[in-house]
Amino acid sequence: MKLHILGSNSLGNCYVLESDTEALIIEAGVRMANVKKAVRWQLNKVVGAIVTHSHRDHSGHVAEMIASGVLVLALEDVFKTHNIEGKPFTKSIVPNKGYKVGNFRIFTLNVKHDVPCLGFIISHPAMGKLLFITDTITLDVRVPGLNHIMIEANYADDIVEENIGSGAMPEAMRPRLLNSHMEIEQTKAILAENDLSQVDNIILIHLSDGNSNEDRFVREVRELTGKPVYAADAGMTLDLSIQPY
Ligand SMILES: [Zn+2]
Ligand SMILES: [Zn+2]
């Protein structure tokens, strides 16, 4: 199972999980042309797309996806935001439920953003179990048996304070940030609370342009977990195949 990272920040988020026979899109924040290129124009491999929430950087291209015949699973709020509720290829989903798309099994989690937002536990025979968590201040549940983790590491408190001090970031932006995105210490706390014994990859996603430090975040999470850790960058492809133990 390959993970193609097409975008992972406030400009646009999109990831494609691709096995030999099928592909699942996570987030609709980049143009379909980029998705098509990622699967080398084998659009028939795409079994569907899952979208966490209505913000443009995650759902901006959802109408384009359904127009391309891709089944999109998302909260009704996402379809309403783009005036496409009830349209063909839209499927409304809710938190704490299981869905099947091709051979991907998806369980939805409720997370804490400033609009309704989902987290996903995605399972596939070729990949094992992947936790996908973005745009949330925290995660309340522990998830057993994980093989891969994609988790937001948006900002660090000390970098935010530095940026406010220097005038690089308006102080008025602080409350929204603190109530909608994940701080690196929270990312680390969630990782520390979960059983990582079967985890092969930890991928930090949705890093803030100005309020994060990619090298430092990767190093800190690597030191904490002892696992291979990556910071998601557009254009990156990682292997998420299940490793036999
Ligand atoms: Zn976002
Ligand atoms: Zn958001």
Short mmCIF file of all heavy atoms in Angstrom, two decimals, residues 176-209:
data_model
loop_
_atom_site.label_atom_id
_atom_site.label_comp_id
_atom_site.label_asym_id
_atom_site.label_seq_id
_atom_site.Cartn_x
_atom_site.Cartn_y
_atom_site.Cartn_z
N ARG A 176 -8.36 31.42 18.08
CA ARG A 176 -8.87 30.49 17.08
C ARG A 176 -7.90 29.31 16.93
O ARG A 176 -8.32 28.14 16.90
CB ARG A 176 -9.06 31.20 15.73
CG ARG A 176 -9.94 30.43 14.75
CD ARG A 176 -9.22 29.89 13.54
NE ARG A 176 -9.90 28.69 13.02
CZ ARG A 176 -9.45 27.97 12.01
NH1 ARG A 176 -8.32 28.30 11.41
NH2 ARG A 176 -10.09 26.91 11.62
N LEU A 177 -6.63 29.63 16.85
CA LEU A 177 -5.62 28.58 16.69
C LEU A 177 -5.68 27.59 17.85
O LEU A 177 -5.73 26.37 17.66
CB LEU A 177 -4.23 29.22 16.60
CG LEU A 177 -3.04 28.27 16.47
CD1 LEU A 177 -3.08 27.54 15.13
CD2 LEU A 177 -1.73 29.04 16.61
N LEU A 178 -5.70 28.14 19.09
CA LEU A 178 -5.66 27.28 20.26
C LEU A 178 -6.92 26.44 20.44
O LEU A 178 -6.91 25.44 21.14
CB LEU A 178 -5.43 28.13 21.53
CG LEU A 178 -3.95 28.33 21.90
CD1 LEU A 178 -3.11 28.84 20.75
CD2 LEU A 178 -3.81 29.23 23.11
N ASN A 179 -8.01 26.85 19.79
CA ASN A 179 -9.27 26.11 19.91
C ASN A 179 -9.61 25.28 18.68
O ASN A 179 -10.74 24.80 18.55
CB ASN A 179 -10.41 27.07 20.23
CG ASN A 179 -10.32 27.56 21.66
OD1 ASN A 179 -10.31 26.76 22.59
ND2 ASN A 179 -10.21 28.86 21.83
N SER A 180 -8.68 25.13 17.76
CA SER A 180 -9.03 24.38 16.55
C SER A 180 -7.94 23.46 16.02
O SER A 180 -8.23 22.57 15.23
CB SER A 180 -9.46 25.36 15.44
OG SER A 180 -8.42 26.27 15.15
N HIS A 181 -6.70 23.65 16.47
CA HIS A 181 -5.62 22.84 15.91
C HIS A 181 -4.77 22.20 17.01
O HIS A 181 -4.84 22.59 18.16
CB HIS A 181 -4.76 23.69 14.97
CG HIS A 181 -5.46 23.96 13.67
ND1 HIS A 181 -5.61 23.01 12.70
CD2 HIS A 181 -6.07 25.08 13.21
CE1 HIS A 181 -6.28 23.52 11.68
NE2 HIS A 181 -6.58 24.78 11.95
N MET A 182 -3.93 21.24 16.60
CA MET A 182 -3.19 20.48 17.59
C MET A 182 -1.78 20.98 17.80
O MET A 182 -1.00 21.11 16.86
CB MET A 182 -3.17 19.00 17.20
CG MET A 182 -2.71 18.19 18.38
SD MET A 182 -3.21 16.49 18.60
CE MET A 182 -4.28 16.03 17.36
N GLU A 183 -1.47 21.23 19.07
CA GLU A 183 -0.14 21.68 19.46
C GLU A 183 0.78 20.44 19.57
O GLU A 183 0.33 19.35 19.94
CB GLU A 183 -0.23 22.41 20.80
CG GLU A 183 0.87 23.42 21.05
CD GLU A 183 2.03 22.88 21.86
OE1 GLU A 183 1.81 21.87 22.58
OE2 GLU A 183 3.13 23.44 21.79
N ILE A 184 2.03 20.60 19.28
CA ILE A 184 2.96 19.46 19.22
C ILE A 184 3.00 18.66 20.53
O ILE A 184 3.08 17.43 20.51
CB ILE A 184 4.39 19.92 18.78
CG1 ILE A 184 5.34 18.74 18.68
CG2 ILE A 184 4.93 21.03 19.64
CD1 ILE A 184 5.03 17.72 17.61
N GLU A 185 2.89 19.33 21.68
CA GLU A 185 2.91 18.58 22.94
C GLU A 185 1.67 17.69 23.07
O GLU A 185 1.72 16.61 23.67
CB GLU A 185 3.03 19.51 24.14
CG GLU A 185 4.38 20.22 24.26
CD GLU A 185 5.57 19.25 24.27
OE1 GLU A 185 5.48 18.19 24.92
OE2 GLU A 185 6.59 19.55 23.61
N GLN A 186 0.54 18.16 22.52
CA GLN A 186 -0.68 17.35 22.53
C GLN A 186 -0.54 16.16 21.59
O GLN A 186 -0.95 15.04 21.92
CB GLN A 186 -1.89 18.23 22.14
CG GLN A 186 -3.23 17.57 22.35
CD GLN A 186 -3.46 17.18 23.81
OE1 GLN A 186 -2.94 17.81 24.73
NE2 GLN A 186 -4.22 16.11 24.01
N THR A 187 0.05 16.41 20.41
CA THR A 187 0.33 15.31 19.48
C THR A 187 1.15 14.24 20.19
O THR A 187 0.85 13.04 20.12
CB THR A 187 1.14 15.84 18.26
OG1 THR A 187 0.46 16.97 17.71
CG2 THR A 187 1.32 14.77 17.21
N LYS A 188 2.19 14.68 20.90
CA LYS A 188 3.07 13.74 21.59
C LYS A 188 2.33 13.02 22.72
O LYS A 188 2.52 11.82 22.93
CB LYS A 188 4.31 14.49 22.13
CG LYS A 188 5.28 14.86 21.03
CD LYS A 188 6.21 16.01 21.40
CE LYS A 188 7.18 15.69 22.49
NZ LYS A 188 8.07 16.87 22.76
N ALA A 189 1.46 13.74 23.44
CA ALA A 189 0.71 13.13 24.53
C ALA A 189 -0.20 12.03 24.00
O ALA A 189 -0.32 10.95 24.60
CB ALA A 189 -0.11 14.19 25.28
N ILE A 190 -0.84 12.28 22.87
CA ILE A 190 -1.73 11.27 22.28
C ILE A 190 -0.92 10.03 21.87
O ILE A 190 -1.32 8.90 22.12
CB ILE A 190 -2.50 11.86 21.07
CG1 ILE A 190 -3.52 12.88 21.57
CG2 ILE A 190 -3.18 10.77 20.24
CD1 ILE A 190 -4.12 13.75 20.49
N LEU A 191 0.24 10.28 21.26
CA LEU A 191 1.09 9.15 20.86
C LEU A 191 1.55 8.36 22.09
O LEU A 191 1.57 7.13 22.08
CB LEU A 191 2.29 9.65 20.04
CG LEU A 191 1.92 10.20 18.66
CD1 LEU A 191 3.11 10.94 18.04
CD2 LEU A 191 1.43 9.09 17.73
N ALA A 192 1.88 9.08 23.16
CA ALA A 192 2.35 8.42 24.38
C ALA A 192 1.26 7.57 25.03
O ALA A 192 1.53 6.56 25.66
CB ALA A 192 2.87 9.47 25.36
N GLU A 193 0.00 8.00 24.86
CA GLU A 193 -1.12 7.29 25.48
C GLU A 193 -1.56 6.06 24.70
O GLU A 193 -2.30 5.22 25.20
CB GLU A 193 -2.34 8.22 25.60
CG GLU A 193 -2.22 9.22 26.72
CD GLU A 193 -3.25 10.33 26.58
OE1 GLU A 193 -4.14 10.24 25.71
OE2 GLU A 193 -3.13 11.30 27.35
N ASN A 194 -1.16 5.98 23.43
CA ASN A 194 -1.61 4.86 22.60
C ASN A 194 -0.57 3.76 22.54
O ASN A 194 0.63 3.99 22.71
CB ASN A 194 -1.98 5.36 21.21
CG ASN A 194 -3.42 5.84 21.13
OD1 ASN A 194 -4.35 5.05 20.97
ND2 ASN A 194 -3.60 7.15 21.29
N ASP A 195 -1.05 2.54 22.27
CA ASP A 195 -0.17 1.38 22.12
C ASP A 195 0.48 1.45 20.74
O ASP A 195 -0.20 1.29 19.73
CB ASP A 195 -0.99 0.10 22.29
CG ASP A 195 -0.16 -1.15 21.98
OD1 ASP A 195 1.08 -1.02 21.86
OD2 ASP A 195 -0.76 -2.24 21.86
N LEU A 196 1.78 1.71 20.71
CA LEU A 196 2.48 1.87 19.44
C LEU A 196 3.27 0.61 19.06
O LEU A 196 4.06 0.64 18.11
CB LEU A 196 3.44 3.07 19.51
CG LEU A 196 2.85 4.43 19.90
CD1 LEU A 196 3.93 5.51 19.86
CD2 LEU A 196 1.69 4.83 19.01
N SER A 197 3.06 -0.49 19.80
CA SER A 197 3.94 -1.65 19.61
C SER A 197 3.90 -2.19 18.19
O SER A 197 4.88 -2.76 17.72
CB SER A 197 3.60 -2.75 20.63
OG SER A 197 2.25 -3.14 20.50
N GLN A 198 2.77 -2.03 17.49
CA GLN A 198 2.66 -2.55 16.12
C GLN A 198 2.83 -1.44 15.07
O GLN A 198 2.62 -1.68 13.88
CB GLN A 198 1.29 -3.19 15.91
CG GLN A 198 0.94 -4.28 16.90
CD GLN A 198 1.76 -5.54 16.67
OE1 GLN A 198 1.86 -6.03 15.55
NE2 GLN A 198 2.39 -6.05 17.72
N VAL A 199 3.14 -0.23 15.52
CA VAL A 199 3.17 0.91 14.59
C VAL A 199 4.48 0.95 13.80
O VAL A 199 5.57 0.87 14.37
CB VAL A 199 2.97 2.24 15.36
CG1 VAL A 199 3.26 3.45 14.48
CG2 VAL A 199 1.54 2.32 15.91
N ASP A 200 4.37 1.05 12.48
CA ASP A 200 5.54 1.11 11.59
C ASP A 200 5.89 2.52 11.15
O ASP A 200 7.05 2.78 10.82
CB ASP A 200 5.29 0.26 10.33
CG ASP A 200 5.23 -1.21 10.65
OD1 ASP A 200 6.00 -1.66 11.50
OD2 ASP A 200 4.39 -1.91 10.04
N ASN A 201 4.89 3.40 11.06
CA ASN A 201 5.13 4.76 10.55
C ASN A 201 4.30 5.76 11.32
O ASN A 201 3.12 5.51 11.58
CB ASN A 201 4.69 4.88 9.08
CG ASN A 201 5.41 3.91 8.18
OD1 ASN A 201 6.59 4.07 7.92
ND2 ASN A 201 4.71 2.88 7.72
N ILE A 202 4.92 6.89 11.63
CA ILE A 202 4.16 8.03 12.17
C ILE A 202 4.40 9.20 11.23
O ILE A 202 5.55 9.57 10.96
CB ILE A 202 4.61 8.38 13.60
CG1 ILE A 202 4.32 7.20 14.54
CG2 ILE A 202 3.90 9.65 14.09
CD1 ILE A 202 4.90 7.36 15.94
N ILE A 203 3.31 9.73 10.69
CA ILE A 203 3.41 10.82 9.72
C ILE A 203 2.73 12.04 10.32
O ILE A 203 1.53 12.02 10.62
CB ILE A 203 2.76 10.41 8.39
CG1 ILE A 203 3.44 9.14 7.86
CG2 ILE A 203 2.86 11.54 7.37
CD1 ILE A 203 2.51 8.17 7.19
N LEU A 204 3.51 13.10 10.52
CA LEU A 204 2.97 14.34 11.07
C LEU A 204 2.38 15.14 9.92
O LEU A 204 3.04 15.33 8.89
CB LEU A 204 4.08 15.13 11.78
CG LEU A 204 4.83 14.36 12.87
CD1 LEU A 204 5.92 15.24 13.49
CD2 LEU A 204 3.87 13.86 13.97
N ILE A 205 1.13 15.59 10.09
CA ILE A 205 0.45 16.27 8.98
C ILE A 205 -0.04 17.66 9.39
O ILE A 205 -0.08 17.99 10.58
CB ILE A 205 -0.73 15.42 8.43
CG1 ILE A 205 -1.79 15.16 9.49
CG2 ILE A 205 -0.20 14.09 7.88
CD1 ILE A 205 -3.04 14.41 8.96
N HIS A 206 -0.38 18.46 8.37
CA HIS A 206 -1.02 19.77 8.56
C HIS A 206 -0.17 20.68 9.45
O HIS A 206 -0.69 21.34 10.36
CB HIS A 206 -2.43 19.59 9.15
CG HIS A 206 -3.41 20.67 8.79
ND1 HIS A 206 -3.30 21.95 9.24
CD2 HIS A 206 -4.51 20.67 8.01
CE1 HIS A 206 -4.31 22.68 8.78
NE2 HIS A 206 -5.06 21.91 8.00
N LEU A 207 1.15 20.71 9.21
CA LEU A 207 2.01 21.62 9.96
C LEU A 207 1.74 23.06 9.50
O LEU A 207 1.61 23.31 8.31
CB LEU A 207 3.50 21.29 9.72
CG LEU A 207 4.12 20.20 10.59
CD1 LEU A 207 3.56 18.83 10.25
CD2 LEU A 207 5.64 20.19 10.46
N SER A 208 1.64 23.97 10.45
CA SER A 208 1.44 25.38 10.12
C SER A 208 2.69 25.93 9.45
O SER A 208 3.81 25.58 9.81
CB SER A 208 1.16 26.15 11.42
OG SER A 208 1.49 27.51 11.26
N ASP A 209 2.48 26.80 8.47
CA ASP A 209 3.62 27.39 7.76
C ASP A 209 4.55 28.16 8.69
O ASP A 209 5.75 27.96 8.68
CB ASP A 209 3.13 28.34 6.66
CG ASP A 209 3.03 27.62 5.33
OD1 ASP A 209 3.49 26.47 5.25
OD2 ASP A 209 2.47 28.21 4.38
#
